[in-house]
Amino acid sequence: MTVRRLLALPLLGALLTGCGIRATEVPTDFGAAPSRVPCSLAGPDVATQSSRGVPVQVFLLCGASLVAVDRTVRVPEGTPDARRRVIVAQGLLDQLAASPSAAERSAGYTTSVPGALGVRGPGPKDPEDTLRLSTPPSRLTSYALAQLVCTLSDSAATEDDGSVILGGPDGSPLRRYECTDEVRDRPGTTEPPSGEVTGT
């Protein structure tokens, strides 16, 4: 038995060499494998973006937080302010619902905003800065609602005061939502603060 074991050693060495495995007596430590920093993107060319439309920002999910990324929205020149707000709002919704770019997906960005989400302006008795969604805000996931509120509340679609009045279709109740640091940090567990809004 011992002779067989001794004869097997050269054969084992040849097999290991054929597989590209070299024995070494020196311990090696090349460190951890290189990793990409999540939620980190190269800055976009703002001048190029401006030529394609109005520069805007939308909030995407990355890790457990909301992170702002740059986008553009096309708005025809000479559009009245009331109509302009709706066009910008719809453009922002479309950007939120679109799949993130390959670079963004590679960096860990995702979105929870559903596709085909529409928006229109105020009804006859609504405040003038109201945005009515085709789906009631209460039916959206906490992530999707946080993305919408934080994106819309700091855009040309609203009064730029950190809040946005949202409602569903057909005269459903309105609420004024706010985007806070807590919402941006924990969109899955912290709902945007809101209060009931009465019509004018």
Side-chain angles (χ1 to χ4, degrees), residues 8-190:
L9 287 177
L11 179 60
L12 179 59
L15 288 174
L16 290 176
T17 302
C19 293
I21 301 174
R22 292 187 307 172
T24 177
E25 295 179 0
V26 181
T28 57
D29 183 8
F30 297 103
S35 61
R36 171 187 35 75
V37 178
C39 307
S40 177
L41 290 171
D45 184 346
V46 177
T48 301
Q49 279 200 337
S50 297
S51 67
R52 297 196 302 263
V54 178
V56 294
Q57 284 191 322
V58 300
F59 281 88
L60 298 181
L61 297 166
C62 195
S65 305
L66 294 181
V67 181
V69 298
D70 295 309
R71 292 287 192 270
T72 58
V73 172
R74 288 189 176 277
V75 180
E77 292 187 15
T79 302
D81 286 346
R83 180 59 185 157
R84 180 185 178 88
R85 283 200 297 269
V86 176
I87 291 175
V88 171
Q90 185 63 65
L92 292 170
L93 264 61
D94 293 342
Q95 293 287 350
L96 285 170
S99 177
S101 69
E104 289 166 346
R105 291 195 303 272
S106 179
Y109 288 81
T110 61
T111 185
S112 288
V113 176
L117 186 62
V119 63
R120 61 178 177 80
K125 296 183 180 181
D126 295 340
E128 64 178 8
D129 56 342
T130 297
L131 295 173
R132 286 195 170 273
L133 305 175
S134 56
T135 296
S138 59
R139 294 187 183 177
L140 298 172
T141 67
S142 59
Y143 288 107
L145 182 60
Q147 284 185 259
L148 285 174
V149 169
C150 288
T151 295
L152 292 171
S153 64
D154 190 24
S155 73
T158 60
E159 296 299 319
D160 196 23
D161 62 353
S163 69
V164 58
I165 299 177
L166 296 177
D170 304 325
S172 58
L174 300 173
R175 299 190 72 83
R176 181 181 290 277
Y177 295 87
E178 295 181 26
C179 177
T180 63
D181 291 339
E182 290 77 14
V183 173
R184 287 188 289 269
D185 291 340
R186 295 182 295 276
T189 58
T190 305

